[in-house]
Amino acid sequence: MKIAVCYKLVPDEQDIVINGDHTISFDKAEWKIGQYDLVAVEAAMRLAEVAGGTVSALSAGGKQLENSKLKKNILSRGPVDAYMIIDETMSDADSYQTAYVLAKAIEKIKDVDLVVCGEGSSDMYAQQVGSQIGELLQWPSVNAIGTITLADGKLIAERMLETEVEVLEIPIPAVISVTSDIFQARIANLKDILEAGKKPVVRWDLDDIGGVPEMSTNVLSVLAPPQADRRRVIIGGDSGDQINEFYEHLRKEL
Amino acid sequence: MSRVKDVWVFTEKQESIAELCAGARQLGERVTVLAVGSRDRIERIIAFGADRVFYLGDTGADRTVEDYAFTLSKLIEEEAPDLFLFGATKRCRHMAGRLAARQRTSVLSDIMEFLTDKDEIQGTQMVYGGAAVRTLASKSATVFSVVGSGVFTSLPEDADREGDVRAVDFVEPAYRVRCMEKRERGGTSVDLTAAKRVIAVGRGIAKEEDLKMIEELARLIGAEIGCTRPISEGVNWMGRERYIGVSGVMFKPELYIAIGISGQIQHMVGCNQSGVIFAINTDTAAKIFSQSDYGIVGDLYTVVPVLLEKIRAAR
Amino acid sequence: MIIQKTEEQELLLENLQELMSRVCTEDYIRTCEKNHEQPHKLIEALVENGFYMLGLPEEYGGTPLDHLTYFMCVEEVHKIMPPFGWPRALSLNEMLRLGTEEQRKIVADLVKQGNMAFSFAITEPQAGSDDNAITTTATRKNGKVYINGQKTFITGANISPYMLVATKDPNSPDPRKSVSFWFVPADAPGVTIQTLPKIGWLMLPTCEVFLDNVEIEEKDIVGVEGEGFLQLMKCFEMERLTNCAVALGSAQAAFEDAARYANQRVQFGVPIGSFQLIQEKLTYMAIKIENMRNAFYKCAWEKDQGISIQLSSALAKLYCVQSGFEVADDAMQIMGGIGYTEDCRISRIWRDVRVLRMTDGTDQVMIHIAGRALLKKYR
């Protein structure tokens, strides 16, 4: 089985700086692999280890993808190789553009049986790309997958909905998005890290996959959220009297 | 003047239909609900505020909700609604993504507020783990949107309302996933978004046993219990449905008591719309205090037992 | 020498950090300490994720790596954890080098599963820094070897299946060639182990060991008879660097806690960090940490370059463990009374770092080694 697992590089939200005019800046941000995508890689690896097969990492984005430490990072989690579509357009791509480019890349990679996506990207968290890739490839797709096994060439998966669990039989090729807790992302060890540097990375630009459609959305603003106005009555200690004061405030709300 | 005429609604839960119908009425001129399931529901859907119901049919052993994607897709092509609203569930999210992809567009996800008075449909959403609010305008003919939970408030049910009902022919899907079995999700199926009072705990709680004390407090004041991500996904002391934050529950209870929670933005976005926020934390500098109405700098193991005593005594 | 971590080193340390943060919550550390038990969950995670066997040869299931990276990992672990018996690659490597095929197999199999395979039983009540003064003997009778004596401050003797026991031949003409090491099962008849309660290092027991006519075989000798200390000299140099790594990791943690606290703690209406007396402390703490890191990384780098670290390791150990304690002590001073409570990890760091000034050669022994070596250079 040939599995492609999609990942996105995102700025570390801890490094976001809020400017005086409420705009936000990523100038000081370190880039990292989306946390949910690392979980998807783990799910893909576990399936490949059990069902046999290989895992390729796949991403579309801007120049951050060139960062060699981030390349080693993703490859140290197990995939045998990585495919990257690098173009500055892709650093602000919306989910349809991303899904479009990834779907084209999956066709170009050839013979992919399964595409695994994370629950959502760590930055936008729209949770759409997996569902959209499926439709673009005209493959069945499902989200919220919490367990997967392979039986008789079909995936048997549990889908974790809000109040129920569905046990699904998914014919392949297919696209699945996995839950954030299907597995814990693996810890890479020294061997994994050293080997990662030797694994092949295929780099494509947009022309190689036939371009990208126009954005379907316009981003009008990205601003720090307004802080709700709170009373901020803070009692500075936990002596009996102070707890009583706190309780009196609470009592009025009960 | 809004250009929005036709607003469609697709969602699973009854209460969410009422909310989305109310929202659709605000945003557009004609509200159409795409209904899958038992036919008996249709009258209530109209009572909730729908002008039209497209009845797709029921699910069964050989037909899942997902199988209606092709039917919905055909309807969209024929009718070209201006705005298509989806509930904030996993199933609806997936359906929205698929249908939008078929119309070569993106979905406006988890929209907290819509602006339709321009000549385009705009929406705001939380991004970067709650660190920013993004305003987007869709350029597509039909705008697809997953509506954040609790954004719209249901209108009173009006049994006298009348509406059109149209049964829609099923379009056989070109590809499908078979559902072999369905079962209730194990564990508690708490719906925090429905709770008026919530006590949330974070890493300040040292041991799982100590949750007993919190449960007791919750019982006394009639609150539900929620938690931060590390409690549900790090140490697994609580189920994921109790996790409050950017990728978990986002809600606005009347009373929110944060115990041993530092107040990281990823958590606070889930609860900062609460009516009144109380916080207990040992750390003077904890971010939670600047986002609370009342805070006490103290050890929860000192404060909570005293609160329990006082609340019991007051009864 | 380039003082910039490679991408591989950064990735390795980030992964180790992630592993540590998953397992070692402050509560977990407190529980292990309170129960005086090994952090089994952490050890298991280190084994499972390929960190436990770092620095050991591949044929034993390990992952060889350079000393510098190895010690960076040790430092990383001890930013969070008090000493718990890891790492042991250095002494294990010597054991694997000197031991017989059978001994190697036993040791490797045990270590692979996260066990402390053996303890080092050298120190005796009358032979601490003066380790040549040991009086434990190995006597031959009827084709067997009998060990008699008393050992003390033996780290992990009660949790290790074997002991590496140093004995001395009182009749040897050359005292430098009178010490031998024996591979003794800890449960052999005649072995009695008692733990010594102590104020720190609560996850790693320290024991007294009584050896009363413990019968072993000729084949249980490790390496060459009479060459015990010469064989293990290199190992002692490396243990000094382990001490540096523990001191540095701990000092870094104490410093960070204290600096954050100085920003938060308000007294006289202002954060205490605004007082210059606190700033002075933080400044000197930062200088010490920087110097510790430089001295210790350089030493590890020298080892990788094949440069002798006989002198530099003694200098680095002395400086790191003293400065590490000073940093922890100042961190506690900044924290005030809270720093002395068990809720605050600085109190733990403070007591745990203190003993580094005694382990693997006291400060005074380091001065003794360094002093002579320095004078020799200018003779």
Side-chain angles (χ1 to χ4, degrees), chain C residues 307-320:
Chain C
I307 300 167
S308 163
I309 59 163
Q310 198 224 351
L311 170 60
S312 61
S313 65
L315 294 175
K317 199 252 170 181
L318 179 65
Y319 183 76
C320 287

Side-chain angles (χ1 to χ4, degrees), chain A residues 30 67-74 76-77 184-194 196-197, chain C residues 7-12 14-16 18-19 22 48-51 54 58 61-65 69:
Chain A
E30 287 258 358
N67 180 304
S68 83
K69 185 179 155 193
L70 288 168
K71 282 183 197 168
K72 285 174 196 164
N73 192 345
I74 191 76
S76 70
R77 312 295 174 139
Q184 199 169 35
R186 73 182 51 189
I187 303 280
N189 64 35
L190 183 62
K191 278 181 202 161
D192 300 329
I193 293 165
L194 294 176
Chain C
E7 287 173 0
E8 282 75 11
Q9 284 169 338
E10 283 182 4
L11 283 169
L12 185 69
E14 284 165 19
N15 276 283
L16 183 53
E18 171 71 27
L19 181 151
R22 283 183 194 176
E48 207 174 286
N49 292 290
F51 284 92
L54 274 184
E58 263 176 329
T63 316
L65 82 173
T69 313

Side-chain angles (χ1 to χ4, degrees), chain A residues 11 13-14 16 24 26 35-36 94-96 119 123-128 131-132 135 138-144 156 158-171 180-181 214-225 227-228 230-238 242-244 246-247 249-250 253-254, chain B residues 66 89-91 93-94 97-98 100-102 104-109 122 127-128 130-139 175-185 197 221 229 233 240 246-247 255 257 266 272 274-280 289-299 302-303 306-307 310-311 314:
Chain A
E13 63 270 18
Q14 308 286 350
I16 292 174
I24 59 170
F26 292 108
Q35 55 178 334
Y36 306 112
D94 62 31
S95 38
Y96 179 70
E119 182 171 282
D123 53 356
M124 298 304 148
Y125 196 61
Q127 306 167 73
Q128 290 295 328
S131 311
Q132 298 212 312
E135 232 39 45
Q138 302 197 22
W139 292 358
S141 64
V142 199
N143 64 343
I156 305 297
E158 284 185 333
R159 187 187 194 201
M160 307 299 180
L161 297 171
E162 283 75 10
T163 55
E164 60 184 349
V165 178
E166 292 180 341
V167 182
L168 305 173
E169 184 190 77
I170 311 169
S180 62
D181 54 359
E214 284 266 297
M215 271 188 104
S216 58
T217 48
N218 280 328
V219 176
L220 304 174
S221 65
V222 180
L223 298 170
Q227 277 266 3
R230 295 282 170 194
R231 267 160 281 190
R232 297 191 204 173
V233 177
I234 310 302
I235 298 158
D238 57 10
Q242 286 167 315
I243 300 176
N244 195 46
F246 183 73
Y247 167 71
H249 290 301
L250 180 61
E253 303 293 336
L254 292 178
Chain B
E66 282 66 28
T89 64
K90 308 256 180 213
R91 196 192 295 286
R93 222 176 260 292
H94 180 56
R98 290 182 65 189
R102 297 177 78 84
R104 292 176 291 284
T105 189
S106 302
V107 174
L108 305 184
S109 284
Q122 298 177 5
V127 290
Y128 301 114
V133 172
R134 183 164 82 156
T135 305
L136 287 170
S138 177
K139 297 199 275 190
Y175 38 90
R176 67 206 302 179
V177 167
R178 199 164 76 84
C179 181
M180 303 194 295
E181 186 194 328
K182 268 188 200 195
R183 58 171 193 267
E184 289 285 296
R185 225 178 142 166
R197 292 172 178 177
I221 66 168
R229 191 183 168 99
E233 284 184 17
R240 179 108 202 266
V246 68
S247 51
L255 170 66
I257 307 176
Q266 289 85 348
N272 60 16
S274 304
V276 52
I277 299 182
F278 283 76
I280 304 170
F289 287 128
S290 62
Q291 304 170 73
S292 300
D293 294 290
Y294 301 99
I296 183 163
V297 183
D299 188 342
T302 310
V303 178
V306 178
L307 291 180
K310 288 184 185 292
I311 293 168

